[in-house]
Amino acid sequence: MRKIIFLISILIIVGCTDTENDNDISTVSDEVTIIENISSHSIIQPGAPGEDSKTLDPLEATNIAGTSYVQADVDFLQGMIVHHQQAILMSELSAERTNNQTILDLADRIDISQEDEIDFMENWLESRGENKNLSSHEHMQEHKHMKMAGMASSEELKELRASKSTSFDKLFLQLMINHHDGALEMVETLKEFPGNSFDSSLDEFISELINDQGVEIERMNGILVNLSDDPRSNLEPGLYDAGQSIQNLKLVTSLKKPIGFFDPENPEGKGTKRIEKDSKKDEKVRTIEEMSSSLRWPILSFASTDMAFRDNILVAGSYHGFNIYEIQTDGIPSLISSVVCPGGQGDVSIVGDILIMSVEQTRSRLDCGLEGVSKEASPERFRGLRIFDISNLERPKQVGAVQTCRGSHTHSVVSGPDEDGKIIVYNSGTASVRDEEEMEECIGNIAGDNRTALFRIDVIEIPVSNPSESKIVSSPAVFADSETGALGGLWTGGDHGDETQETRRTDQCHDITVYPTANIAAGACSGNGILFDITDPYNPQRIDVVTDTGFAYWHSATFNNDGTKVIFTDEWGGGGRARCRAWDPLDWGANAIYDIVDKKLEFRSHFKMPAPQLETENCVAHNGSLIPIPDKDIFVQAWYQGGISLMDFTDSSNPKEIAFFDRGPIDDELLVMGGYWSAYYYDGFIYATEIKRGLDVFELLPSDHLSQKDIDEASRAYPLSGAKVFNPQQQIPLGWSVLEP
């Protein structure tokens, strides 16, 4: 058939070149003869240098560049057959090792579906003259194009054969989830090859495999969560009526969001269905992530974010502005005023009567207007640091604004006001570089242009006497190569090898936590954790840098009280994805604990909130603070919809959980962005901002881990320098008043 098409094509081309005899039949006949003579000419395929050439027939010549399938397709299917065979093997073990009907039904479905898929793959290969078998599992491991991701080892299979009842159920699910996830990884590897899955039947098969395996992973994770002994697992969903689990803490109060800071028609912030032309799409069973991503979601207009404290004042930030509370003697906040000033993300700090607020979104206006900015480049747009006068807590006033090239995701109060009356702030912008038409000094990612706003932080001065004169005074390139001066001198992006996380290029810091009295700062900066010397606050110097193969996005840092340890967090999934599932690695989306030895960061351990969570719960490490207890290192931390968790890292090589609180997911079918943004200890209580629900207050309870004396001493802690204040990215050493006998 290809030869006929080939001849007809040349006939048409040659015929079209004869403009004088378009209708001359004899001419066409002559041309056919000429075409046949041309097709009989030799077609040569040269060999490698020094090797003989070989002659091809026309069909062989055209098949060399054929697009029906590529070798990677063959490798994939041969490997997937072996992969599926192991899944069948594991499923067959269930009949004699468990009476859990849910597991038996699951194993039966896997057995049937994998057999059917093997039949398809074998027939596809055989119909194309390809071998359907691999010589050995080892051959597959060594093959340069494909690896058998997710395959259970011989030791794991031996353990599975030896287990029974619930032990078998848990191990079977863990291994099978890893197995299915490995299949999806193999698909991703296949898609890296040009021309893959061009064949329509193979493309359809792979699409169905992706969806079916994804749905089955979610189903198995749900079963595995139900088998967990942790009381936080499988809590009832709801907004204000979700199930709760608590240990060694007391929930003092839960405050709903103030009026004007949530949508009364959609308080959960749920998405709405897109208009789809093809109604059949709704008939297909999809993963929770697929269903969630297919909806139209409101922007994070009302999301609660970070907090700051001064004396008995609590300020809770939001994408919509901020709320000011007075903390009563019983620890319960009372709302004083609400300030509407949209733009996100709304992280806040307090210095005296000055409130500093980070703003990053492009919709933000200089005048705090609600209508947004429609033009691509506009003097009305604001991205940077807002400065408010809060001397009148009932009527805060914007008194300054510093525009920055990448906005402000977070900021850190480094010092001040000093004798010169100035506050020094480090600004961390993580968004794209704004257009030069909007801000002339902003240069994007232009090769060879060292003026770029990337690979830098901003040092900002705020004169307390005249905040309107606040400005950027320098933008040091803290990531530059110390020898060459190249700006991109740290992690360049990518992963660290097989079975490691892909991590963004280090061209910004998400958080820089400063410890001014110790002259050090810790930066959580995309692909790196960094230790800085800030003796000269205007010129921070990098003194050590680390990476972690399990980290996806270095998010935040916290020192212990004496500045000899630092906790880095990994916001794997960006806070919007389920990352505490039963099968997720415990060193992904976790804390990494380092000791500081001779100004070097020495890794000690990882810690992750241990309770498995559902696919409907965004869960990953987020903001926390120390609980100040003498001779102990205790950390309270938000985990989004994983709740809050208290970690004892006194032994930095052996951290352990000592208390927790958690609610069920906001929704039972969709992943709705929610949970705790921040959890901080302040003046005897733990305060936690809930993204959708509001503000929670907790007390510590005596336990085997913390005595009543420990709790009392924590409440008596006071700053050894400066005013009574707590800012998220600023640490002040604490001391303790003498306990009364």
Side-chain angles (χ1 to χ4, degrees), residues 102-154:
T102 302
I103 300 295
L104 293 171
D105 291 344
L106 172 67
D108 189 52
R109 286 196 302 271
I110 291 174
D111 191 4
I112 294 171
S113 64
Q114 304 267 297
E115 286 280 11
D116 288 343
E117 290 176 1
I118 288 174
D119 287 343
F120 168 84
M121 292 187 286
E122 290 183 338
N123 290 333
W124 193 95
L125 291 168
E126 288 178 342
S127 67
R128 289 157 179 80
E130 300 288 351
N131 188 2
K132 66 181 181 181
N133 297 316
L134 291 172
S135 59
S136 67
H137 174 60
E138 286 74 23
H139 172 80
M140 190 60 183
Q141 291 283 11
E142 296 170 0
H143 202 285
K144 64 179 181 179
H145 294 321
M146 195 70 64
K147 292 186 177 181
M148 297 281 276
M151 290 284 280
S153 66
S154 55

Side-chain angles (χ1 to χ4, degrees), residues 13-281:
I13 293 169
V14 176
C16 290
T17 61
D18 190 346
T19 57
E20 297 180 3
N21 300 290
D22 289 343
N23 300 313
D24 192 329
I25 302 298
S26 63
T27 302
V28 173
S29 180
D30 291 341
E31 289 172 347
V32 171
T33 303
I34 294 171
I35 291 169
E36 290 176 347
N37 289 335
I38 292 173
S39 67
S40 66
H41 290 180
S42 298
I43 303 175
I44 306 301
Q45 182 185 25
E51 296 182 356
D52 293 335
S53 302
K54 61 181 180 181
T55 303
L56 306 177
D57 63 39
L59 184 59
E60 287 177 320
T62 54
N63 281 343
I64 289 175
T67 57
S68 60
Y69 68 94
V70 294
Q71 184 60 41
D73 293 328
V74 176
D75 296 338
F76 169 78
L77 292 175
Q78 289 173 338
M80 193 59 73
I81 289 171
V82 176
H83 205 270
H84 275 32
Q85 287 170 343
Q86 189 183 76
I88 293 171
L89 172 66
M90 289 194 291
S91 296
E92 290 174 344
L93 295 175
S94 63
E96 298 179 356
R97 289 166 175 80
T98 183
N99 60 3
N100 186 325
Q101 194 59 47
T102 302
I103 300 295
L104 293 171
D105 291 344
L106 172 67
D108 189 52
R109 286 196 302 271
I110 291 174
D111 191 4
I112 294 171
S113 64
Q114 304 267 297
E115 286 280 11
D116 288 343
E117 290 176 1
I118 288 174
D119 287 343
F120 168 84
M121 292 187 286
E122 290 183 338
N123 290 333
W124 193 95
L125 291 168
E126 288 178 342
S127 67
R128 289 157 179 80
E130 300 288 351
N131 188 2
K132 66 181 181 181
N133 297 316
L134 291 172
S135 59
S136 67
H137 174 60
E138 286 74 23
H139 172 80
M140 190 60 183
Q141 291 283 11
E142 296 170 0
H143 202 285
K144 64 179 181 179
H145 294 321
M146 195 70 64
K147 292 186 177 181
M148 297 281 276
M151 290 284 280
S153 66
S154 55
E155 291 79 12
E156 288 171 328
L157 289 176
K158 184 179 179 180
E159 184 182 357
L160 186 64
R161 289 190 179 97
S163 61
K164 290 185 178 182
S165 189
T166 303
S167 297
F168 173 86
D169 298 342
K170 290 181 179 180
L171 185 56
F172 173 79
L173 290 167
Q174 290 168 350
L175 293 178
M176 194 62 76
I177 288 173
N178 288 333
H179 199 269
H180 278 35
D181 191 54
L184 298 180
E185 189 176 325
M186 290 170 68
V187 171
E188 291 302 311
T189 302
L190 171 64
K191 291 183 177 295
E192 295 175 2
F193 292 91
N196 73 85
S197 314
F198 181 80
D199 177 84
S200 59
S201 64
L202 180 58
D203 183 58
E204 184 178 358
F205 169 77
I206 290 174
S207 295
E208 291 180 354
L209 184 146
I210 292 172
N211 184 76
D212 294 345
Q213 300 270 298
V215 170
E216 202 137 69
I217 286 174
E218 289 183 354
R219 185 182 293 123
M220 289 189 288
N221 183 64
I223 300 170
L224 192 52
V225 168
N226 278 325
L227 293 175
S228 172
D229 297 327
D230 197 297
R232 289 168 284 183
S233 299
N234 208 34
L235 294 170
E236 288 295 317
L239 182 61
Y240 301 119
D241 59 347
Q244 299 180 2
S245 178
I246 193 166
Q247 185 178 89
N248 299 333
L249 292 172
K250 176 186 176 182
L251 178 60
V252 177
T253 191
S254 292
L255 302 180
K256 293 183 179 180
K257 289 185 176 183
I259 295 172
F261 278 72
F262 65 93
D263 181 357
E265 301 296 322
N266 184 19
E268 304 95 336
K270 286 186 175 181
T272 56
K273 187 175 285 187
R274 298 179 185 274
I275 299 174
E276 297 180 343
K277 296 180 180 179
D278 185 3
S279 60
K280 293 182 179 179
K281 291 183 180 180

Side-chain angles (χ1 to χ4, degrees), residues 619-671:
C619 174
V620 74
H622 215 232
N623 297 333
S625 76
L626 294 179
I627 295 179
I629 299 173
D631 303 319
K632 291 186 178 182
D633 295 324
I634 310 295
F635 185 60
V636 59
Q637 182 176 11
W639 291 84
Y640 289 107
Q641 287 200 70
I644 65 171
S645 176
L646 270 68
M647 173 185 69
D648 185 335
F649 65 109
T650 307
D651 179 357
S652 52
S653 298
N654 186 35
K656 56 186 179 182
E657 187 178 55
I658 62 173
F660 60 76
F661 174 80
D662 189 22
R663 291 189 177 94
I666 293 172
D667 191 83
D668 61 346
E669 295 182 351
L670 296 171
L671 197 164

Side-chain angles (χ1 to χ4, degrees), residues 527-546:
N528 294 104
I530 303 176
L531 188 66
F532 294 100
D533 183 330
I534 59 169
T535 303
D536 177 2
Y538 289 93
N539 186 32
Q541 298 294 308
R542 192 176 76 235
I543 54 178
D544 197 22
V545 58
V546 292

Side-chain angles (χ1 to χ4, degrees), residues 489-564:
L490 297 182
W491 183 246
T492 57
D495 59 39
H496 298 270
D498 294 337
E499 305 300 321
T500 64
Q501 280 290 86
E502 184 169 340
T503 307
R504 292 188 202 173
R505 177 184 72 183
T506 301
D507 65 17
Q508 43 88 8
C509 286
H510 184 282
D511 275 24
I512 301 175
T513 296
V514 297
Y515 203 143
T517 59
N519 291 323
I520 55 174
C525 307
S526 272
N528 294 104
I530 303 176
L531 188 66
F532 294 100
D533 183 330
I534 59 169
T535 303
D536 177 2
Y538 289 93
N539 186 32
Q541 298 294 308
R542 192 176 76 235
I543 54 178
D544 197 22
V545 58
V546 292
T547 59
D548 190 303
T549 60
F551 269 38
Y553 186 62
W554 294 70
H555 174 270
S556 55
T558 304
F559 293 100
N560 66 340
N561 193 53
D562 59 10
T564 59

